[in-house]
Amino acid sequence: MTATSHTTTDHAAFVLAALEWLDQREQRPDPEGVDAAFDLLASERRRQFLAVMTTHEEALTLPDVAEEVAVRETGEPVTDLSAECVADVYISLYHDHLPRLVDAGLVAYDQERDLVQPTAVREH
């Protein structure tokens, strides 16, 4: 018999909680929609992006979002982040994560002003 790690237990608890939440819905969600939602949440960087937008609940410049995501990912104060680190996060957000979140209707993006606006922010 092998010991179960806390991480495995946490994963199982999360999966079971998600399944319970889905089962308790009055109207069953579309399975493709559930798959798409979990696909969006599969990336830690997208989860951090959404957490930043949820925290601020207002429009932010994409460079500001990138900076805050970098702070959250590294655990370093913003003053200790290299410009290259923030630029790498910005490029990743701009080319990969932002378009997915815009397509999902979670954020809107004004490219001319490089401004990201939350569109489906959770009520606290």
Side-chain angles (χ1 to χ4, degrees):
M1 177 180 243
T2 60
T4 303
S5 73
H6 292 295
T7 303
T8 302
T9 303
D10 292 345
H11 293 161
F14 178 80
V15 168
L16 292 173
L19 289 173
E20 182 178 332
W21 180 84
L22 288 168
D23 283 343
Q24 291 176 354
R25 306 274 304 177
E26 207 170 287
Q27 186 176 8
R28 297 277 303 174
D30 171 39
E32 288 180 17
V34 172
D35 290 346
F38 280 116
D39 185 52
L40 280 172
L41 295 173
S43 166
E44 173 66 17
R45 185 158 284 169
R46 275 193 296 278
R47 291 192 304 273
Q48 291 296 346
F49 190 141
L50 290 170
V52 168
M53 298 311 298
T54 302
T55 299
H56 291 280
E57 298 183 353
E58 63 186 8
L60 299 170
T61 66
L62 190 56
D64 287 343
V65 175
E67 192 172 80
E68 189 160 340
V69 168
V71 165
R72 290 172 184 231
E73 286 181 351
T74 64
E76 299 290 328
V78 70
T79 54
D80 291 349
L81 293 176
S82 69
E84 182 180 346
C85 173
V86 176
D88 288 346
V89 172
Y90 177 92
I91 290 166
S92 170
L93 294 179
Y94 181 82
H95 288 290
D96 183 16
H97 306 293
L98 177 62
R100 293 173 193 242
L101 296 173
V102 168
D103 288 347
L106 293 167
V107 299
Y109 180 59
D110 178 344
Q111 188 171 10
E112 189 173 300
R113 296 179 9 197
D114 210 10
L115 202 63
V116 182
Q117 174 76 42
T119 57
V121 175
R122 175 178 59 117
E123 299 274 332
H124 293 288

